[in-house]
Structures are given as C-alpha cells and as structure tokens.
Amino acid sequence: LPFQDDELGPAQAAYQQAVEKYPKFLRAWKNLGMIHVRLEQFDQAIEPLTRVIALGGGDGVSYGLLGFAYASIGNDLSAESAYRMAVLLDPGTLDWQMGLIRSFFHQQRFSDASALCATMLRKNPGSVDIWLLQANSFLGMGQAMEAAQNFELVDSLGGSTQESLNTLGDIYVNEELFELASGAYLRALQGNPEAGVERALYGAKVLVARSADAHRLLDALSQVEELSPAQHKDLLKLQAKVAVATGASEEEARLLNEIVQLDPLDGEALLLLGQYHRLREDPETAIFYFERAASLEEFEADAKVRHAQVLVSMAKYG
C-alpha cells in the first residue's frame, strides 16, 4: 500500500521484512529492487533484482533495471549482459537498447555501438539521442566527418545542444573548414549566450590562431551583456589580434589600451602596445611599455629582448 502511494521509505522497510521472513517471495524482491533503483541506491538494487531472476521471474523489466544498476556503478560488462537479455525479452522498449549502446560506448567498443545505433535509427529516425550516440561513436572510431553529418542532422531536428554544436565547430576547425566552424560556434552561443560565453571564446581563440575569419563570432560575443571582467579582457585581446591581422592599427591601440585599463598587469597587452608604438616609430613610448612588461616575471625575458631591439634601432648599442 505505501508503494502504491509512492511512500518509498515505509514500502522499502516492509518489503525487506517480507523477504527476510520468506526468501522466495518473488514480488517482494522485485518491488524492493525497483525501490532501490528509484532511490538511486544502485549497488543495493543488484541483490534483489538478481534474486528475482534466480527465482524464475526474469522478465525484460527486471533485466533492464539490473543493467541500469550495473551501469550506474560502472560495471559495464555486467550491464551489457543484463541489457542484452532485456532487449531479447522486451525488444520494444527503447531504454534497454539505449542502455546497451551506452555500455558498448563505455567499453570503447565504438564499432558495436555505431552498428546498433544504425539498426535502431531505421526504426526511430527522429531520435535525437540515438543520432548523438552514433556521432560520439564515430568520433571514437576517428570518423570525424561522419560524426559532423550526425551533428548537423541533429541540428536540423532541433535537438542540438551547446556541447554538440561546439564539438561540431571543433571538427570543422580540424578539417580546416573555418567558415562552417564559425557558424557552428555562433549557433552554440546564440542558443544560450550567458552560459556559452567561455566555450565561444575558446572557439574564437582557435579561429584567430588559425588566421580564420572570426568577426561574426566576436561581434556576437560583444553583444552579450553578462561578461565577466576576465571574459571581457579576453574578448578585447581577440579583437586586437584581429585588428592587427587586418592592419587596423589605431583600432588595435584602442583595444589594447582598454585592456590595460582593465588590468594594468596584463603583460601580453603591454608587449603588444610596445610593439604597436615601435612600428609607429615612437621608440620612447615603446620602451615605456616594454619596461612595464619587464616588471612582470612571466614576461620579463621577452620584454627585455624587445626593449633591446628598440635600442638597436636607435643605434644605442651600449
């Protein structure tokens, strides 16, 4: 009666007493196992579910729950065995097949996982979860572009997550498809701007490092209202680097000065400002920034070399 009313604690105690009094009480063992699973007591669920099977009550649900319990405690081999029996006895329940795929995945048996996904997708072509599992299986097998096709299909089904879109962007970067990469990172950011800033900044850094066009992504990041000071500084640095690459030197100086105002001890920005003024043939200002950068231990060596280069250009060899 408590079990029917979803009062799991009293029900669990009563079932425990029942199996202690009558060890072959099949229904009590089964319901006790189900309660342990619902309470996420997975290690405790294994014994009653195993007893159910030993007593001849092993149906699809019992095997499926046993597989879920094993998977939850990291015993993937036993989970696989239980899920196989669950699929055999109850082939219509998608959860058991998904559990079997995940057990393959955790054992790094990506080929098996992908093959089972393909079988399931013939019956469930609109299942986002299966497409994503197969995509990750493709990644495990080193078939990145096959994974990208799955991620794009998931996006067309409206099931993309920030993680799937960012992974798609990473794949395109590795394949040197930078415009597609920028689009994927941008879609990930637009899905949840506040939560996706850090990952979008990483994507922008990768694109800028590869000398790819990151304007759209940087513009979108600049529109996000809730940037932390560190994120704002990273964004300014990226914009400055893009400005350098496009020859917009005044814009570069403005951005670098803004960074230094935010963080006077940003050695990278101080070095870039020194370089900017050196190129503008303003050696005194360049030396000023290099000396500031040299006061920071991490940047001291680089700053002194650049300072020396300015002195050489001024014929101050001593």
Side-chain angles (χ1 to χ4, degrees):
L1 291 173
F3 190 35
Q4 291 176 7
D5 292 335
D6 212 30
E7 298 173 3
L8 301 184
Q12 184 182 42
Y15 284 132
Q16 187 64 46
Q17 282 185 305
V19 296
E20 288 172 0
K21 289 177 179 293
Y22 184 43
K24 294 185 179 181
F25 195 169
L26 180 60
R27 180 164 56 88
W29 280 118
K30 185 171 184 178
N31 288 350
L32 183 59
M34 292 175 68
I35 288 172
H36 281 309
V37 170
R38 288 181 61 182
L39 293 174
E40 299 185 359
Q41 298 167 345
F42 301 115
D43 54 342
Q44 298 176 53
I46 291 170
E47 182 190 357
L49 291 170
T50 305
R51 286 291 190 96
V52 171
I53 294 166
L55 291 169
D59 57 3
V61 172
S62 300
Y63 276 109
L65 291 176
L66 183 59
F68 183 66
Y70 274 126
S72 298
I73 64 172
N75 189 338
D76 296 305
L77 190 59
S78 295
E80 178 193 342
S81 299
Y83 277 133
R84 283 187 183 277
M85 289 301 298
V87 171
L88 181 66
L89 296 170
D90 185 12
T93 300
L94 193 64
D95 286 345
W96 313 145
Q97 298 178 65
M98 294 289 285
L100 182 56
I101 292 172
R102 290 190 177 98
S103 73
F104 287 146
F105 194 83
H106 293 151
Q107 295 175 73
Q108 298 188 8
R109 291 164 56 186
F110 303 117
S111 179
D112 291 335
S114 176
L116 185 52
C117 283
T119 300
M120 293 174 65
L121 285 169
R122 284 195 284 272
K123 296 180 181 179
N124 306 278
S127 173
V128 167
D129 288 339
I130 303 175
W131 284 113
L132 287 173
L133 274 173
Q134 190 183 48
N136 286 313
S137 299
F138 283 141
L139 288 175
M141 292 187 289
Q143 299 174 1
M145 288 308 292
E146 284 80 358
Q149 291 179 31
N150 279 35
F151 286 132
E152 290 285 14
L153 194 87
V154 166
D155 193 44
S156 71
L157 291 171
S160 285
T161 63
Q162 281 196 328
E163 182 181 359
S164 68
L165 287 169
N166 283 318
T167 301
L168 180 62
D170 294 342
I171 291 170
Y172 285 144
V173 165
N174 290 333
E175 297 294 326
E176 299 188 354
L177 300 169
F178 299 123
E179 187 173 349
L180 292 175
S182 178
Y185 290 137
L186 185 60
R187 280 179 280 165
L189 177 65
Q190 290 169 338
N192 190 345
E194 278 69 31
V197 167
E198 202 63 41
R199 193 60 172 78
L201 278 170
Y202 170 79
K205 287 176 184 176
V206 171
L207 291 171
V208 170
R210 297 290 192 96
S211 302
D213 185 2
H215 280 96
R216 287 190 302 158
L217 188 54
L218 292 174
D219 288 344
L221 280 164
S222 66
Q223 300 302 314
V224 178
E225 295 180 1
E226 300 296 327
L227 288 178
S228 69
Q231 291 169 339
H232 185 210
K233 188 173 76 170
D234 284 345
L235 176 59
L236 290 172
K237 281 186 182 180
L238 290 170
Q239 291 173 324
K241 288 177 180 178
V242 170
V244 171
T246 56
S249 56
E250 290 183 5
E251 176 67 6
E252 173 199 357
R254 184 189 68 78
L255 292 167
L256 290 171
N257 278 309
E258 195 171 341
I259 294 169
V260 171
Q261 286 175 7
L262 284 171
D263 182 3
L265 300 179
D266 190 308
E268 185 179 3
L270 292 170
L271 285 174
L272 288 170
L273 270 171
Q275 286 289 84
Y276 166 79
H277 286 288
R278 179 190 170 196
L279 294 172
R280 296 290 294 254
E281 297 184 357
D282 183 357
E284 299 300 331
T285 306
I287 289 172
F288 168 72
Y289 284 114
F290 289 144
E291 287 178 338
R292 283 181 62 182
S295 67
L296 305 170
E297 183 178 355
E298 182 182 354
F299 300 94
E300 181 181 5
D302 197 9
K304 286 188 173 180
V305 169
R306 295 177 188 276
H307 184 175
Q309 290 172 338
V310 175
L311 293 172
V312 168
S313 68
M314 299 169 68
K316 295 184 177 180
Y317 305 117

